[in-house]
Structures are given as C-alpha cells and as structure tokens.
Amino acid sequence: MLAVTLPLVDSSEQPTSTPSPPPPPQQLFSRAAVAASCGGFVLIGALQALYGPSIPALRDAYRLSPSAAGMGLSAHFVGAVAGVLVFDRLFGRIGNRRLLGWSYLLMAGGAAGFAFAPAWPVALGLALLAGLGFGGIDYGLNQLFAVGFGRRSTAMLNILNAHFGIGAVLGPALIGLVGSAHYPAVFLGFAALTLPLLLCLAGVRDEAPPRGGDTGVSEDTAADTGARRRVRARSLATVLGAFVVLYVLHVGIESGVGGWEPTHLEAIGYGATAAASATSAFWLMMTVGRFLVAPLALRWSAQTIIAVSCAGMTGCLLLAAIPAAAPYAYAGAGLFIAPIFPTGLPWLLRAAPRAHRAGALVMAASMVGGVAAPPALGKAIELAGVRAVPLILCAISAVCLITTGWLIRAASPPVLPTSSPAPSTSSSVSPTSTSPELPTPPDQPAPAAERTS
C-alpha cells in the first residue's frame, strides 16, 4: 500500500499544483493612488505638448533658428528613452514608491529649470532631465497597471493613457490662452502640480507582481517543459521584433497625422482654421477612443481590439484621400489608433512573459519612432507630394494590420506532441513508474512563473 501511495505524493509536487499566487492585484494601488496616477498622466501629456507651442517665444528668448528651437522636444524624448531604460533596470530592486517619487521629482525639477534656464544649452540639459522623469513615470505606471489589475488591466491602461490625451489637449490650449511669451509660468505651474502627487505614493504597493522568470521545476517535468521552452526561445526574438514594428509604425502614424494633417487639408482646399480644428479633433478622438474602449476591454481580447483598431485605422486613412471626407476620416483614424498603445502592453506581457525587458524595449522603441518618423515621412512626402499623405500613412497602417495578424498566430501558445505515447489500458502499471499514469498534456498551461498578469 505504501508503494502505491508514494507516487501519488510525488505527483503532487509537479507543477500541476501551482505555487501560491501573488497578492491580489487590486492591492497594488489604492483608489487615491489610481486617481493620482491618472493625474500624473495628465501632467506628462501636457508637458510633452508644451514644447511645440512655446517655440516662438523660445526663438525670441534665445535667438534660435526653427530647427534649433525644435531641439527642446528632441532632448525631452532622449531623456524619456533613458528614463524608460533606467526605470526598467531598477524595477524590482528599488521600491515602486521610490522609483515613481524620483521620477516625479526629476520631471518637476527639469520643467521648472527649463522655464528659467539662462542659456539654451542649459535649457536643453534641463529638458533632458524632465524627459528622464517623464520616461520613468510613463513606463513605470504603464508597467504597474499592466500587472496590477488582473483581467481589468487592459481597461485600466486605456483609462490611464486617456488622461495623457487630456493633458496633451490642455497644455497647448493653456499656452494659447496666456500667450507663448508666458511659457515659463506654464512650465513652472505644471511642475508645481507634480509635487502633491508625491503624497499619494503611499497608496502604491512597493513590490509589484513578478513579470515572469524561472522558478524551480521538478525533474519529472523537465523534458516536457524543455521542448516548450526551446520553441519559445526560438520565437521570442521574432515576436518581440513584431511588437516593436507594430509600436514604432503606429506611433509614426500618430505623429504623422498630427504633423501633416493640417498641411494636407490646406493643400486640398481647406482653410488654415478648419485644418487646425480638424487636427485638434484628431487628438481629441484619440482621448475619447481610450475611454470608449475601456468597457470593451472587459469583453474582448487585446488581440481582437488591436486587429479591429488596425483595420479601422487603415480604412479611415484610405478614406482620407477623398477631399470631402478627409477631416472626418482623420478623426476616425484617431479613434481607432487610440487603443493600440495601452492595449498592446498586457498582450505583450502574456506573449513574452520570460522577456523581462520586453515592455521597456517596446516603449523605448516607440519613443524613438515618434522622433524619427516625422523626418522620414517628410522625405517620402517630398517625393510623392502632399496630396499623397493619407495614402503613405495608409500603406504604413496596412503593415501594422499584417503584423497584428502574424502576432495573433505566432503569440498563441504552442501545441507540442507529448514526449511519450498515451498509456495503454492493458499494460501493467508499475508502482514506481508514475509518468504513464500522469502524463503532461500537450496544451497544459505554462508554469506559474510564466503566467504573469
């Protein structure tokens, strides 16, 4: 009897009984911390959008050429990429409160210093410092929201990023209200509004759920899981590369529409005021779209939402080639672009749970794409003409749609054949051989360490 009981005890040590799960994800943020995080995204959205409307005053204050004045936003993005990578490197080593606190302080200090910098090189250095904090907040809160709300993470990420859009609309509107000459006061005001958010960091749990990684696996299942790991290792680089392509291209479309829509609309007969209003509508629809998709994310998978978004974005950009429909089509494109960035992050974490740096890589690449895409699009438009703007963007969007379709197939869990045939009912069972009695099914879920978020 003892010989029969021992194998049953051994089998319970296999990963079929998962380790105790991490604390409930709802405990990662208090309600006040969620509200403060949304407020923080309003501020980073406003800060990023303040540089452009401030260019006339910056040129007068520092006697700059247009290209030199535009370096302020470039310095901000360079700092943001560095902030993403630094935050990711320190994630899990330093408490979340301290990382977010330092990020808020860096952004506030850099923005306040930029407002009163005595010389342009100093201003660029402070813009980079503000960008460093910006990147830490952007990546840090996106990462924590992606793992902190369980199945509601996609919805919460869309709500969080919708507040970024609110800030991106409010910042330029405030500059327009007070005049670009008063940009120092606006930068200083947003820096001051950052400081109260530090008081709400007590509502953020210091340790986030793990993003993936190896844990102990019994020797009995090493052969079975080894094949699955080899398949995933071979495909991991390709899957990450596809996510990078998706993020870089869709951010390029976003910045391309925002930068070239006014020029295209004026070229096909619209007035400057109408073109500017249509561009504002594009950004507004991006914000509205993220709020609208939040309840849908509780019913639809991330893959479905992104596939529909890419298809809708492609159709709208194709429709924008028709002059009478162009302003409305661009607004529709903003509505469909909206969910892609926040919805893709939870999907990425599920598709590549062992790639600890996946989120940082994709977000940093998207920021680089946001800087590099406008000049590249400008070169293409020089060759094809301004009227070709929607068709060029439509072609890029089609690549996003194709990439999404490939990811849906490639990121699905692999189905592998079992390493041993199914046991025959007529075969005798040895008391000490347990593997024929308890085979690991080919579609068995990955070990607990791989099932993050």
Side-chain angles (χ1 to χ4, degrees), residues 259-277:
W260 287 99
E261 180 184 355
T263 304
H264 173 248
L265 292 179
E266 290 183 37
I268 60 177
Y270 289 88
T273 302
S277 299

Side-chain angles (χ1 to χ4, degrees), residues 99-120:
L99 282 172
L100 289 173
W102 277 110
S103 297
Y104 280 126
L105 288 174
L106 286 171
M107 187 178 75
F114 181 84
F116 300 105
W120 186 237

Side-chain angles (χ1 to χ4, degrees), residues 339-365:
I340 297 177
F341 187 97
T343 305
L345 292 177
W347 184 19
L348 170 64
L349 293 180
R350 289 194 298 270
R354 290 185 178 275
H356 294 189
R357 306 274 183 265
L361 173 65
V362 167
M363 290 191 65

